[in-house]
């Protein structure tokens, strides 16, 4: 069953050139999908529309509940780290006592327990990204929309969190759309990779990632995806 069904999505910002034109794609229940493509091709725009932040000019979207982590930092500066994480719970009138326990466990897992009562300006960019990811997971949507969630992390933390994210998604039975510029990361985390290969975007080029992919298969797939991303760069830039 599809958790997301997008049909003929068309969009441009104000009077600018079209960015999306009759774009259709689907995400199935429990499917992990990455979107890759050159800077400015419209990746963030697609998930901003799915999150309801931008309004499409045309097309239909069927979507269940979502949890969205934007590309830019959206922690509220006047709230402490714990208060920021608990924001989605307050908004949906959830069980604050129980969810506070969950938040503390997640902060422990992310090595951020000492920062519970600090404010966002006291944290590094990578720490803020981890907090935003925790907050996104606490908002409990069926489909996670993650816009470059690991871009500010050092390589070791990034690898650790990739493994953790995959385990969490499997155990929570969630679906995901994950935007990244790192093709290895996309191959590691996804069942399917969507590549922006044209501008305006009328379709994604799709690559399936086989289960238990071998090192050689992954290297070959990476090359194919890179060629497909490069195609649009060579043409347009
Ligand atoms: N609020 C906005 N107003 C006008 N144009 C915008 C706005 N946001 C993005 N754009 C333009 O829309 C196009 C797609 O932007 P988008 O942010 O979706 O790209 P992206 O694929 O996410 O890039 P990156 O990999 O750099 O994050 C770009 O040409 C950008 O300049
Ligand atoms: Mg973006």
């Amino acid at each position: 069953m599809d958790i997301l069904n997008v049909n003929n999505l068309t969009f441009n910002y104000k009077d600018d050139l079209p960015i999306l034109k009759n774009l259709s794609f689907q995400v199935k229940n429990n499917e992990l999908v990455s979107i890759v493509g050159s800077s400015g091709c419209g990746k963030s725009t697609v998930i901003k529309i799915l999150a309801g932040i931008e309004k499409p000019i045309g097309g239909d979207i069927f979507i269940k509940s979502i949890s969205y982590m934007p590309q830019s930092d959206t922690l509220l500066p006047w709230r402490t780290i714990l208060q920021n994480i608990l924001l989605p719970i307050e908004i949906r009138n959830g069980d604050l006592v129980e969810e506070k326990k969950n938040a503390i466990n997640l902060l422990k897992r992310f090595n951020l327990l000492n920062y519970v009562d600090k404010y966002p300006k006291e944290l590094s960019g990578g720490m803020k990204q981890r907090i935003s990811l925790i907050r996104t997971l606490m908002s409990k949507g069926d489909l996670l929309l993650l816009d470059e969630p690991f871009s500010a992390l050092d390589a070791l933390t990034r690898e650790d969190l990739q493994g953790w994210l995959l385990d969490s998604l499997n155990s929570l039975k969630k679906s995901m759309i994950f935007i990244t510029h790192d093709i290895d990361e996309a191959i590691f985390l996804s069942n399917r990779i969507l590549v922006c290969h044209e501008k305006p975007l009328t379709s994604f080029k799709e690559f399936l990632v086989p289960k238990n992919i071998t090192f050689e298969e992954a290297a070959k797939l990476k090359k194919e995806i890179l060629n497909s991303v490069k195609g649009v760069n060579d043409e347009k830039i």
Side-chain angles (χ1 to χ4, degrees), residues 169-204:
L169 290 166
N170 282 332
S171 65
L172 297 169
K173 304 239 174 304
K174 301 220 184 222
S175 313
M176 171 178 78
I177 298 181
F178 185 99
I179 296 181
T180 181
H181 283 281
D182 181 335
I183 293 170
D184 293 318
E185 180 170 76
I187 293 174
F188 179 70
L189 287 177
S190 336
N191 313 121
R192 190 156 54 101
I193 299 176
L194 305 178
V195 181
C196 304
H197 64 113
E198 56 184 0
K199 231 174 162 183
L201 199 56
T202 60
S203 66
F204 287 116

Side-chain angles (χ1 to χ4, degrees), residues 201-213:
L201 199 56
T202 60
S203 66
F204 287 116
K205 202 159 180 185
E206 293 199 9
F207 294 86
L208 290 177
V209 183
K211 261 196 181 147
N212 305 320
I213 188 169

Side-chain angles (χ1 to χ4, degrees), residues 13 16 19 37-46 48 54 71 147-148 181 199:
Y13 287 101
D16 284 349
I19 295 187
S38 52
S39 182
C41 70
K43 303 179 296 297
S44 296
T45 302
V46 169
K48 276 186 202 160
E54 296 289 352
Q71 186 168 8
D147 196 346
E148 301 195 36
H181 283 281
K199 231 174 162 183

Side-chain angles (χ1 to χ4, degrees), residues 86-97 99 138-139:
L86 292 176
L87 187 65
I89 319 302
E90 285 174 37
I91 291 172
R92 67 162 195 266
N93 252 330
D95 180 345
L96 271 174
V97 176
E99 295 293 355
M138 302 278 300
S139 77

